[in-house]
Amino acid sequence: MSESAGGGDPLVIRSLEFIGPMATVGGWRPPSELPEVAFAGRSNVGKSSLLNKLVRRKAFARVSKTPGRTREINFFQVNDQFVLVDLPGYGYAKIAKERKAEWRPLIEGYLHQSPKLRGIVQLLDARRDPTEDDLDMLDFLASREVPTIVAVTKVDKFSRAAGEKAVRDLALRLHLDEDQVIAFSAVTGQGRDELAEAVISLVSAPLPNDNDADDAAPTDAPAADHPAPETDA
Ligand code: GDP
């Protein structure tokens, strides 16, 4: 179905504010007060178009496209609800090798430094095979147990049936559950509400080791990505 068919909008934007960029590993990032959802994908996959559609602003993601900002991680506060994190688009296949070295440390640095990260929306282009970078990113997210939604972009380029098949094939090929994969089109709005719902459920899910009193401090519970200390010698 397309946008808001027969129901309320799962994500009504009441306020949307650019809170700043993270430019270097270990550099500034906003305090981790609200849950975060990050968006990743290679350049040109349709990330800006998807973000604009998601928040219903025509040029919302423009800030991430301004010269000097394209390599940064940009943070936006949505309502008083969550922080939307726009990760830098990684390289085209032909120069992937050089770019890989660039995106990995910053994106990985962010992922390591983000106790409030609730999930990632990974974008893949419906018409293209996933690149090595895409596969690396998905593997990396799986290894860190970051909940991941895959948005398959530009499905309007296919007929409905062919689009559905492309999405099913991709899910099979990447060993993803079909309910982790959303067919999306910024042109028709297909998938916008489904994506909005998925984002809301990510930000609403409590983390097992979440501690609202002081998120930056270590908690007693071991983080999911660190093995528990051995207790019996
Ligand atoms: P980004 O580099 O990932 O931010 O990608 P953009 O959002 O700038 O989109 C890259 C190109 O793909 C632009 O020419 C867009 O017009 C086009 N595009 C993005 N989303 C869609 C879509 O859903 N359908 C179609 N047909 N084109 C799209």
Side-chain angles (χ1 to χ4, degrees):
M1 297 300 282
S2 68
E3 297 166 73
S4 299
D9 183 346
L11 174 60
V12 176
I13 307 296
R14 293 182 304 276
S15 65
L16 185 59
E17 186 196 349
F18 176 52
I19 42 183
M22 174 176 175
T24 55
V25 180
W28 180 90
R29 54 145 298 143
S32 297
E33 282 158 5
L34 289 171
E36 294 174 15
V37 174
F39 290 75
R42 64 174 186 79
S43 307
N44 220 40
V45 68
K47 182 152 58 66
S48 306
S49 307
L50 173 142
L51 290 173
N52 288 338
K53 202 76 194 171
L54 179 66
V55 301
R56 302 190 191 286
R57 298 283 197 281
K58 284 206 169 66
F60 153 73
R62 192 166 51 200
V63 61
S64 303
K65 293 232 160 193
T66 52
R69 288 241 182 280
T70 56
R71 305 284 175 84
E72 296 174 345
I73 298 176
N74 290 301
F75 295 86
F76 302 85
Q77 183 167 325
V78 181
N79 303 333
D80 295 320
Q81 233 173 340
F82 68 97
V83 172
L84 187 161
V85 183
D86 188 8
L87 298 173
Y90 41 81
Y92 292 102
K94 52 180 172 338
I95 47 168
K97 284 220 165 57
E98 297 130 62
R99 288 282 185 85
K100 195 183 271 182
E102 279 177 34
W103 68 262
R104 261 202 110 100
L106 184 61
I107 293 181
E108 290 183 5
Y110 161 73
L111 295 172
H112 281 290
Q113 255 187 287
S114 302
K116 286 281 196 177
L117 179 68
R118 295 299 211 271
I120 296 257
V121 179
Q122 170 73 35
L123 278 65
L124 296 176
D125 189 322
R127 301 162 309 161
R128 297 181 196 282
D129 285 336
T131 63
E132 241 181 81
D133 278 339
D134 292 328
L135 298 174
D136 279 0
M137 185 74 183
L138 285 166
D139 281 349
F140 177 70
L141 295 171
S143 74
R144 298 206 30 103
E145 298 181 20
V146 181
T148 303
I149 301 285
V150 168
V152 182
T153 61
K154 311 188 190 180
V155 290
D156 57 280
K157 300 265 190 182
F158 290 108
S159 70
R160 182 128 207 143
E164 284 168 5
K165 182 172 184 314
V167 168
R168 268 199 315 274
D169 290 350
L170 200 62
L172 264 177
R173 184 166 163 196
L174 299 175
H175 310 292
L176 299 166
D177 287 341
E178 274 193 47
D179 61 7
Q180 264 181 287
V181 183
I182 297 173
F184 190 90
S185 166
V187 172
T188 65
Q190 180 184 342
R192 186 271 169 195
D193 284 355
E194 210 186 324
L195 179 63
E197 259 169 41
V199 167
I200 293 301
S201 60
L202 285 175
V203 299
S204 311
L207 286 179
N209 62 344
D210 199 8
N211 174 355
D212 275 341
D214 186 358
D215 275 288
T219 60
D220 290 333
D225 52 326
H226 296 300
E230 283 178 22
T231 47
D232 50 343

